Amino acid sequence: QVQLVESGGGLVQPGGSLRLSCAASGSRFSINVMGWYRQAPGNQRELVATITRGGSTNYADSMKGRFTISRDNAKNTVYLQMNSLKPEDTAVYYCNAKVWNVLLSKDNNYWGQGTQVTVSS
């Protein structure tokens, strides 16, 4: 069973920055993809960014140029550097990991508990 623990959320003023971290533990198999998703009140969960084991990244259009995703494979940790934050970035941010089970040839999906990011003056 893989557990994901997020940290780094909080209250920040518009234009400010935050750095989110997510550490994975209990993984017996390789984690192919890690990423961040967010969900604002009344909205569905949406993609923020993903990163593969090899370092390929994908960003939602609204986050391009402001957010940067990175990962440390040795630590099974993914980061999200958020700059130029806007009030509309306010949401619960969730860490995600897709773990490839070699034995069963299955791609398992795991989620963290989420961390609150509030952008307000």
Side-chain angles (χ1 to χ4, degrees):
Q1 188 73 19
V2 177
Q3 297 185 41
L4 304 175
V5 180
E6 301 108 326
S7 63
L11 175 65
V12 65
Q13 292 184 326
S17 299
L18 284 174
R19 177 177 162 90
L20 306 182
S21 299
C22 173
S25 62
S27 178
R28 295 185 296 165
F29 309 101
S30 62
I31 302 176
N32 288 347
V33 182
M34 300 188 75
W36 292 93
Y37 296 74
R38 70 184 185 185
Q39 186 169 17
N43 294 344
Q44 293 188 329
R45 190 171 300 184
E46 65 175 346
L47 167 73
V48 175
T50 61
I51 184 168
T52 68
R53 184 176 62 252
S56 298
T57 59
N58 182 53
Y59 296 91
D61 288 341
S62 62
M63 268 65 77
K64 291 180 180 178
R66 299 189 300 121
F67 293 4
T68 301
I69 189 171
S70 61
R71 67 186 288 177
D72 186 333
N73 291 331
K75 297 180 179 179
N76 282 336
T77 300
V78 64
Y79 307 92
L80 184 68
Q81 179 66 46
M82 304 185 294
N83 299 323
S84 301
L85 284 164
K86 306 174 182 178
E88 50 263 43
D89 294 320
T90 296
V92 177
Y93 284 71
Y94 295 92
C95 180
N96 170 263
K98 289 181 171 59
V99 180
W100 176 251
N101 188 322
V102 177
L103 182 62
L104 299 178
S105 297
K106 299 290 185 179
D107 195 7
N108 296 321
N109 197 47
Y110 298 91
W111 294 93
Q113 295 298 310
T115 183
Q116 177 69 47
V117 172
T118 302
V119 185
S120 176
S121 60

